[in-house]
Amino acid sequence: MGFIHLLWGFLFLIDIRINGFDVLPDVIGYVLFFLGFAKLENKSRHFRLAKNMSVVMIAISVMSLLISWASVHSWLLYFIVNLVVFVLKVYIIFHLCYGISDMAGRRGLHEFQIKAVQRWRWFIAVIAASFILILLAPLLSMLAILFAFLLMIASVVIYVMMMMLMWEAEHVFQR
């Protein structure tokens, strides 16, 4: 149906780096998002909007990869790229969750509808906390390290929860 592509896309959005190398490149995740949304776009306008933005995110993630390979160490460039990525990722996940909510609502699956919106709220909370940490990190030094570690765990947890939502959506909507 398309949700399995989204599930795997979330896996590639988890940021795992070894010696600065992103083991799971975001660009693959956004390509999978595009494929999943392409299969779902006739189910809700939210999926169509998310599909269109996933194309933009593919381009930005390729640019981000090139910047990381070029070893550009500009804090301002890093901040601007991450700000754009945060905003667009929030846009995509909003439309994903509300697309699921629309589908569930039309089928009378109110608990699943609520679950999709709740996952959106948790996702936005983790993203907002991460963005605030990036802004405050230069001021907090040692405390920022602790917060970064906690947010890293929270980020992995929310991505796994989103993956679980995709798994459940794939099965709920096939009935």
Side-chain angles (χ1 to χ4, degrees), residues 14-118:
I14 297 173
D15 197 22
I16 299 174
R17 295 184 183 270
I18 298 176
N19 289 333
F21 178 75
D22 192 355
V23 177
L24 302 169
D26 291 356
V27 68
I28 296 171
Y30 290 116
V31 167
L32 290 166
F33 270 28
F34 174 81
L35 296 172
F37 289 132
K39 288 184 173 188
L40 293 166
E41 70 180 321
N42 64 344
K43 305 286 186 202
S44 171
R45 73 175 185 84
H46 288 288
F47 297 135
R48 186 177 58 261
L49 293 169
K51 181 193 85 167
N52 295 339
M53 190 55 67
S54 66
V55 173
V56 174
M57 288 301 285
I58 291 168
I60 290 173
S61 53
V62 165
M63 182 184 73
S64 185
L65 262 178
L66 294 174
I67 289 171
S68 71
W69 289 341
S71 298
V72 176
H73 297 293
S74 166
W75 184 85
L76 182 60
L77 181 61
Y78 175 78
F79 176 78
I80 291 170
V81 169
N82 275 305
L83 176 62
V84 170
V85 167
F86 281 157
V87 169
L88 298 182
K89 189 183 295 184
V90 163
Y91 179 88
I92 288 173
I93 304 305
F94 170 84
H95 285 294
L96 168 60
C97 291
Y98 276 84
I100 292 171
S101 178
D102 280 354
M103 286 179 70
R106 283 194 301 272
R107 293 185 182 198
L109 303 168
H110 300 296
E111 286 182 33
F112 196 60
Q113 184 179 23
I114 291 167
K115 181 185 277 191
V117 172
Q118 185 63 46

